[in-house]
Amino acid sequence: LSFDQVVVFPNPSSGSFNISQETRHPYKRMELFNSIGQSVHSEILYDTNQVVAPPEHLMGMHLIVLYNSKNQPVARTSILLN
């Protein structure tokens, strides 16, 4: 799967953000990692357009990793939370 099938917005975000997927095989889970590689939030993706609401205390650059139905990481991008 190609990451260009996914749009993360708004970026930067001051709270929640959207993950919009345009694919026949949607991603099933997303995980946020902080700048030192710690997993700080994980969420099941139930829909192809979903609002993600990470904890309010998260700030700075974070890595978003998307997983397929076999729980394999298949795509990643970053988001700035402020």
Side-chain angles (χ1 to χ4, degrees):
L1 296 174
S2 168
F3 194 74
D4 62 1
Q5 298 168 325
V6 175
V7 177
V8 176
F9 63 95
N11 191 4
S13 174
S14 59
S16 62
F17 57 90
N18 295 295
I19 295 180
S20 180
Q21 306 179 57
E22 297 178 12
T23 177
R24 291 185 301 153
H25 305 287
Y27 302 113
K28 299 298 183 185
R29 184 171 72 89
M30 63 78 54
E31 193 166 10
L32 275 179
F33 293 89
N34 64 17
S35 61
I36 59 172
Q38 296 170 318
S39 175
V40 293
H41 183 72
S42 182
E43 204 164 303
I44 301 296
L45 300 176
Y46 294 103
D47 198 356
T48 57
N49 189 12
Q50 184 165 327
V51 175
V52 175
E56 290 182 17
H57 69 277
L58 296 181
M59 295 182 74
M61 189 63 69
H62 288 76
L63 178 68
I64 298 173
V65 178
L66 298 166
Y67 296 84
N68 64 14
S69 60
K70 296 178 182 177
N71 206 34
Q72 300 168 320
V74 291
R76 66 178 131 190
T77 191
S78 58
I79 188 165
L80 179 61
L81 300 174
N82 52 25

